[in-house]
Amino acid sequence: MNFSRALTGERKPSLVYWERTCCFAFCNWLSTRRYSRPGCSRVPRVVQRRPRCTEPPPLCSAHHLEKNTQLAHTYWRSVLEPGDMVLDATCGNGHDTLALAEYIGAPVTGTLIALDIQDKAVMRTRNRLVDMFQSRFRSTELHIHSEYTQGRLRCRLWTENGFICELRQFPHEQFQRDMLDSWLADVKARPTWFKVAAYNLGYLPGLDSDRSIRTRADTTIKSLKLLEGLIAPREGLISVSCYTGHDGGAAEGAAVMDWAQALDASQWTAVAHRWLNRRQAPSLVVALHQVASRPSTPYETTSDKH
Ligand SMILES: C[S@@+](CC[C@H](N)C(=O)[O-])C[C@H]1O[C@@H](n2cnc3c(N)ncnc32)[C@H](O)[C@@H]1O
């Protein structure tokens, strides 16, 4: 270093260049750190020019538009809370039952009633739930009881914490609210309103399934009308996925649409989702119960029974 230059304040041009570059880089780094602290709203230009994530944003973040089932699940998730009671009126292979169990707080809370007219479907749903507990909630002990009573399969799965799932081989059009009292009589869970009642119409998917066993317009409508009185006020909902690809499917879908259109607008808000350019895609009908005041639970009064 030339000491005479340093003493007189005169510096080499190359040194000045490096001093300025380092100073600029340091200031940039400092401002990035200062403004990227939590609570600091000002974003420095240097951060804007160099975003950390270089991946393009997804074309469509509305995943519920991809599949009808996803759309139904989105509705359920939006109203369900831990501890709620829900009904899967057509449990089939158990995919929807599994989602409902998750949304009501399994393995800790929630009461889940799942029905199907085929014992094969009840067994598949039971097995799917058991698999979920084994893979995801290994630390929670799951109690299982299965039996045939009067020729119908009944499975009960429950945890000590309070989650309970009652799986019944039972036609949904015969389901009455009094039945819950006897079905759940031996457990602490008190029957209350159903926050969600889910219908996924049609036949049991699978190669070894009997496709002639499927939901039908008359029994589905009968069941929906019975359920109307058991849905939680304000946020409870009934969702119905209707398939048109099989015999009777289109007529059943139309009957469900008529049922939803006839619901009292002062108590229900009904909406239908139909895919316009996917003819085989199922449509979804959702009826949201929006009545302001009702008795505390449908099970506490005997005067207004069906
Ligand atoms: C499309 S599947 C349901 C699929 C199911 N939600 C899943 O996630 O795998 C329709 C089911 O409704 C059942 N089903 C038909 N008629 C019924 C009735 N009257 N009561 C209850 N279940 C019925 C069928 O046995 C079939 O398993």
Side-chain angles (χ1 to χ4, degrees):
M1 181 182 283
N2 186 331
F3 281 103
S4 64
R5 268 187 181 169
L7 286 171
T8 56
E10 194 186 332
R11 285 172 294 172
K12 261 182 164 181
S14 61
L15 190 65
V16 171
Y17 169 79
W18 279 113
E19 264 177 14
R20 284 188 182 162
T21 309
C22 291
C23 181
F24 178 74
F26 178 70
C27 289
N28 260 353
W29 173 79
L30 200 65
S31 64
T32 312
R33 278 179 59 83
R34 187 184 312 155
Y35 293 123
S36 59
R37 277 200 313 248
C40 179
S41 57
R42 200 176 134 198
V43 182
R45 277 179 61 213
V46 66
V47 173
Q48 283 173 335
R49 266 192 275 130
R50 292 186 179 192
R52 277 196 189 155
C53 175
T54 52
E55 283 176 8
L59 286 179
C60 175
S61 60
H63 297 298
H64 57 270
L65 289 184
E66 290 169 11
K67 276 182 92 183
N68 187 72
T69 45
Q70 298 287 343
L71 179 56
H73 291 195
T74 303
Y75 270 104
W76 305 346
R77 257 203 319 268
S78 69
V79 297
L80 286 176
E81 291 167 350
D84 282 338
M85 187 168 93
V86 290
L87 172 73
D88 186 347
T90 53
C91 66
N93 285 325
H95 298 286
D96 291 331
T97 317
L98 217 65
L100 287 167
E102 192 181 321
Y103 303 155
I104 59 173
V108 181
T109 59
T111 306
L112 171 51
I113 311 293
L115 311 175
D116 202 289
I117 41 171
Q118 301 186 63
D119 58 349
K120 189 190 277 184
V122 170
M123 202 38 119
R124 285 184 190 174
T125 302
R126 170 202 178 275
N127 294 343
R128 201 171 288 280
L129 280 164
V130 172
D131 284 351
M132 176 175 84
F133 270 80
Q134 280 171 356
S135 60
R136 289 183 50 195
F137 311 127
R138 231 174 282 167
S139 57
T140 309
E141 191 185 355
L142 180 69
H143 302 277
I144 309 165
H145 175 78
S146 305
E147 63 175 357
Y148 275 90
T149 44
Q150 295 166 345
R152 283 176 173 164
L153 178 60
R154 173 204 163 197
C155 302
R156 158 92 52 93
L157 294 88
W158 75 102
T159 66
E160 296 297 333
N161 297 327
F163 170 77
I164 175 161
C165 175
E166 184 79 15
L167 298 169
R168 292 266 177 169
Q169 181 189 357
F170 197 81
H172 50 222
E173 67 275 15
Q174 289 175 23
F175 176 74
Q176 301 272 350
R177 68 184 182 199
D178 305 354
M179 287 166 186
L180 271 191
D181 282 333
S182 59
W183 289 2
L184 301 177
D186 54 333
V187 288
K188 280 179 250 159
R190 251 190 87 66
T192 173
W193 304 100
F194 286 118
K195 195 73 162 290
V196 164
Y199 290 74
N200 195 330
L201 305 179
Y203 52 81
L204 181 66
L207 292 176
D208 58 340
S209 302
D210 181 350
R211 296 190 173 196
S212 67
I213 306 176
R214 55 179 182 252
T215 55
R216 293 177 196 282
D218 56 339
T219 50
T220 298
I221 300 304
K222 185 177 174 197
S223 171
L224 287 169
K225 286 187 172 166
L226 285 169
L227 250 294
E228 278 175 37
L230 303 182
I231 300 298
R234 288 202 194 93
E235 285 207 311
L237 64 82
I238 302 178
S239 83
V240 192
S241 289
C242 311
Y243 296 79
T244 52
H246 58 273
D247 271 358
E252 189 179 27
V256 171
M257 211 72 88
D258 289 346
W259 162 79
Q261 277 171 5
L263 285 170
D264 179 355
S266 67
Q267 297 202 6
W268 294 88
T269 298
V271 64
H273 296 266
R274 193 161 59 92
W275 270 255
L276 297 174
N277 57 351
R278 290 162 60 194
R279 287 170 201 284
Q280 291 299 313
S283 53
L284 179 70
V285 173
V286 178
L288 185 67
H289 201 196
Q290 290 184 312
V291 64
S293 62
R294 296 279 301 258
S296 52
T297 81
Y299 303 94
E300 284 174 4
T301 55
T302 48
S303 55
D304 60 343
K305 284 181 181 174
H306 289 289

